[in-house]
Amino acid sequence: MSARELRRLRIVDLVRRWPATIRQLADLGISPRYLEWTIEAAAGDLGINCDRVVSRLQPVIARA
């Protein structure tokens, strides 16, 4: 999955498809409150760099 596609993916869809991403999301502070948000929107709301979030998720997705 490309970084662009990942940024626009809802958190709930990400976790359903790749459950192992839960730990990375939690480490970044992305809680269940953001389940219906896109990764980009959640990162923006938390004030963290979306590229950082994507770079943490991509290796987990690649291993799955």
Side-chain angles (χ1 to χ4, degrees), residues 31-48:
S31 69
R33 167 182 180 243
Y34 294 102
L35 282 177
E36 294 297 324
W37 296 41
T38 63
I39 293 172
E40 190 170 45
D45 189 61
L46 290 167
I48 55 178

Side-chain angles (χ1 to χ4, degrees), residues 6 9-18 21 57 61:
L6 198 52
L9 190 64
R10 289 183 321 153
I11 302 291
V12 68
D13 297 329
L14 174 76
V15 172
R16 281 183 183 147
R17 192 163 175 189
W18 298 286
T21 58
L57 296 173
I61 291 169

